[in-house]
Amino acid sequence: MTYIPPNKIEGKATALLDKVGIKAPAISVDRIAKALDATIEYSKLENALSGLVFLGSDRPIIGINSRHHKNRQRFSIAHEIGHIVLHAAQIGKDVHVDRGFTVMRRDTRSAQGIDVLEIQANRFAAALLMPRAFLEQSLQDDGIDIDDEEAVADLAKTYAVSRSAMQIRLASLFT
Ligand SMILES: [Zn+2]
């Protein structure tokens, strides 16, 4: 099994942001992909597919479902970047396909240890798009109460993430 402690995943996301020189939200996933020499391809995939990643050629290729909302596309890109950073060895030359992050066939997926990779990639994506240090700054600057739904919605807009992604991130960091 390939357990990576959550703080190590946060650290890897932060290191990548530092390396690319990103200092403010909304995080440019395009710049990060470019720094990793990864290409992003957008196509109309079936609705259940959010994205995929292929590491079997010279450069990583990320595929994204162009039918999905922009914020969801950004989360999917960050998720696939997580796979590139964390899981090159496990994915190997396979095409790794992501079918919606909430609907997982736990029976077969757990047995193959896939859930762990998905949880780690999601954790990385949240840390990349909503870095702890950036959020601490935002909360301090704007004096935001994380129970204030309108303030959280504004914050989600600033970071170009969905409201629920922001809510989950704030809860996991600050409650
Ligand atoms: Zn995945």
Side-chain angles (χ1 to χ4, degrees), residues 17-18 20-25 27 31 134:
L17 291 167
D18 284 347
V20 181
I22 292 176
K23 295 184 172 67
I27 308 302
R31 275 177 64 193
F134 289 28

Side-chain angles (χ1 to χ4, degrees), residues 111-124:
Q112 295 164 6
I114 294 173
D115 278 350
V116 176
L117 301 190
E118 297 322 309
I119 290 164
Q120 291 173 350
N122 282 342
R123 203 166 262 160
F124 182 94

Side-chain angles (χ1 to χ4, degrees), residues 79 83 96 98 118:
H79 176 102
H83 284 316
H96 174 88
D98 284 302
E118 297 322 309

Side-chain angles (χ1 to χ4, degrees), residues 24-131:
I27 308 302
S28 168
V29 286
D30 290 322
R31 275 177 64 193
I32 297 169
K34 209 169 186 184
L36 294 171
D37 221 10
T39 314
I40 304 173
E41 314 237 356
Y42 295 87
S43 30
K44 288 182 178 168
L45 305 172
E46 63 175 276
N47 198 44
L49 300 182
S50 49
L52 54 90
V53 65
F54 177 63
L55 304 174
S57 59
D58 296 352
R59 297 169 171 202
I61 298 167
I62 294 170
I64 293 297
N65 194 343
S66 61
R67 290 182 199 269
H68 289 168
H69 188 280
K70 201 79 199 154
N71 289 345
R72 183 159 175 203
Q73 291 182 24
R74 285 168 49 74
F75 198 92
S76 298
I77 293 167
H79 176 102
E80 304 307 344
I81 289 172
H83 284 316
I84 294 171
V85 172
L86 304 170
H87 303 136
Q90 290 90 336
I91 291 173
K93 291 189 183 299
D94 293 338
V95 177
H96 174 88
V97 179
D98 284 302
R99 298 170 190 281
F101 301 126
T102 46
V103 194
M104 289 190 189
R105 287 160 300 145
R106 300 230 163 250
D107 44 348
T108 53
R109 294 178 70 101
S110 300
Q112 295 164 6
I114 294 173
D115 278 350
V116 176
L117 301 190
E118 297 322 309
I119 290 164
Q120 291 173 350
N122 282 342
R123 203 166 262 160
F124 182 94
L128 195 70
L129 295 176
M130 297 164 279

